[in-house]
């Protein structure tokens, strides 16, 4: 790449969903504005992960760059879900201060393309350089900067719609997992309790869910059999019904 000029008015925001074995989480970044003359902090809040695009990269390349900078991972599930371009989306007082401090015109419209990503948090070592990042439970997210609460809500809607019809929940699980772990992923994303018997009936029809000879270790209850998801088998059989509608 030769021209590394950032476009000040087109950005990507990545809603990075994680699962820690119990709850759905979101990766958030600290935003702190410091007064250059006094060195004092004017405000600190939280944002989604994102960045402006370089003029010589595609929207998708920009989103993957943001993810790689955070996680060091390249093969991450990533899906574009919506564009955010409301003329009032960056008009909160702190957002205007932030843009002015950054040398940008707060009255100019900035268009952001939303992506969501799925990560099994136990596999991730965060590698963000320069700003603090942290996993926050979806249920504990407060007011975010910019219009990021709206972006997060829209991403959650897109995730819930997609997980009902495509087996993307496996992206949040370890390579080998129990059926109970799998059910819990669907329950925390869909925000509802699923009937265990009906759930097991549905997954019994999934040819791409492969049982292993291994069982859980280090658990207080009776160890459950572990399964793996076969992308290869799924691609061959995906014309069959996949339905987790509630």
């Amino acid at each position: 790449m030769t021209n590394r000029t950032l476009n000040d008015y087109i950005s990507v925001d990545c809603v990075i969903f994680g699962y820690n074995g119990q709850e759905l989480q979101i990766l958030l970044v600290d935003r702190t504005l410091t007064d250059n003359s006094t060195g004092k902090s004017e405000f600190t809040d939280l944002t989604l992960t994102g960045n402006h695009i370089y003029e010589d990269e595609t929207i998708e390349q920009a989103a993957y760059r943001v993810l790689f900078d955070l996680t060091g991972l390249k093969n991450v599930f990533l899906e574009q879900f919506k564009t955010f371009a409301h003329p009032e989306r960056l008009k909160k007082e702190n957002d205007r201060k932030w843009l002015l401090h950054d040398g940008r015109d707060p009255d100019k419209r900035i268009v952001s393309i939303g992506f969501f990503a799925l990560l099994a948090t136990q596999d991730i070592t965060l590698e963000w350089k320069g700003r603090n990042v942290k996993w926050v439970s979806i249920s504990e997210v407060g007011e975010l900067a910019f219009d990021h609460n709206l972006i997060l809500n829209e991403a959650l809607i897109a995730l819930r719609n997609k997980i009902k019809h495509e087996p993307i929940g496996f992206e949040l699980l370890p390579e080998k997992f129990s059926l109970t772990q799998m059910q819990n992923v669907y329950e925390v994303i869909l925000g509802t309790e699923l009937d265990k018997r009906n759930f097991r009936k549905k997954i019994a029809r999934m040819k791409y869910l492969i049982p292993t000879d291994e069982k859980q270790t280090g658990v207080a209850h009776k160890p459950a059999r572990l399964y793996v998801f076969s992308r290869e088998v799924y691609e061959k059989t995906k014309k069959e019904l996949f339905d987790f509608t509630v």
Side-chain angles (χ1 to χ4, degrees), residues 21-77:
Q22 285 86 38
E23 58 186 359
L24 189 65
Q25 299 176 303
I26 190 76
L27 197 62
L28 297 178
V29 185
D30 282 340
R31 180 180 73 159
T32 301
L33 183 65
T34 303
D35 187 300
N36 287 340
S37 57
T38 65
K40 290 183 179 179
S41 171
E42 289 197 31
F43 66 81
T44 297
D45 55 15
L46 293 168
T47 76
L48 296 171
T49 59
N51 205 337
H52 286 261
I53 69 166
Y54 284 112
E55 294 288 15
D56 62 345
E57 69 182 347
T58 67
I59 298 296
E60 289 75 16
Q61 286 170 337
Y64 277 113
R65 170 171 55 82
V66 169
L67 277 174
F68 181 76
D69 284 347
L70 278 167
T71 66
L73 298 177
K74 291 185 177 180
N75 298 317
V76 176
F77 177 90

Side-chain angles (χ1 to χ4, degrees), residues 157-170:
I157 291 169
L159 171 61
R160 285 172 173 165
N161 285 336
K162 196 169 185 70
I163 201 172
K164 292 174 184 177
H165 305 293
E166 293 184 33
I168 61 172
F170 298 107

Side-chain angles (χ1 to χ4, degrees), residues 46-181:
L46 293 168
T47 76
L48 296 171
T49 59
N51 205 337
H52 286 261
I53 69 166
Y54 284 112
E55 294 288 15
D56 62 345
E57 69 182 347
T58 67
I59 298 296
E60 289 75 16
Q61 286 170 337
Y64 277 113
R65 170 171 55 82
V66 169
L67 277 174
F68 181 76
D69 284 347
L70 278 167
T71 66
L73 298 177
K74 291 185 177 180
N75 298 317
V76 176
F77 177 90
L78 186 69
E79 172 132 330
Q80 182 178 331
F81 66 94
K82 194 166 185 175
T83 297
F84 298 86
H86 194 284
E88 301 293 318
R89 64 179 295 260
L90 307 180
K91 292 295 191 277
K92 289 187 285 190
E93 183 182 356
N94 284 353
D95 300 335
R96 292 180 63 85
K97 286 181 180 178
W98 179 264
L99 292 169
L100 282 168
H101 185 268
D102 210 27
R104 287 181 283 164
D105 183 351
D107 293 318
K108 293 281 189 180
R109 184 184 305 207
I110 298 176
V111 175
S112 186
I113 294 88
F115 289 80
F116 72 83
L118 302 176
L119 299 174
T121 55
Q122 69 268 19
D123 299 335
I124 301 304
T125 302
L126 298 177
E127 296 184 3
W128 188 263
K129 303 167 184 69
R131 289 168 71 186
N132 293 325
V133 295
K134 60 183 176 182
W135 290 106
V136 177
S137 169
I138 285 286
S139 61
E140 296 174 2
V141 174
E143 184 177 354
L144 302 177
F146 306 120
D147 58 347
H148 287 186
N149 288 96
L150 171 64
I151 294 176
L152 172 56
N153 289 339
E154 292 290 339
L156 197 52
I157 291 169
L159 171 61
R160 285 172 173 165
N161 285 336
K162 196 169 185 70
I163 201 172
K164 292 174 184 177
H165 305 293
E166 293 184 33
I168 61 172
F170 298 107
E171 304 286 347
L172 294 168
L173 288 164
E175 184 182 357
K176 297 174 183 177
F177 51 86
S178 70
L179 298 184
T180 299
Q181 286 176 303

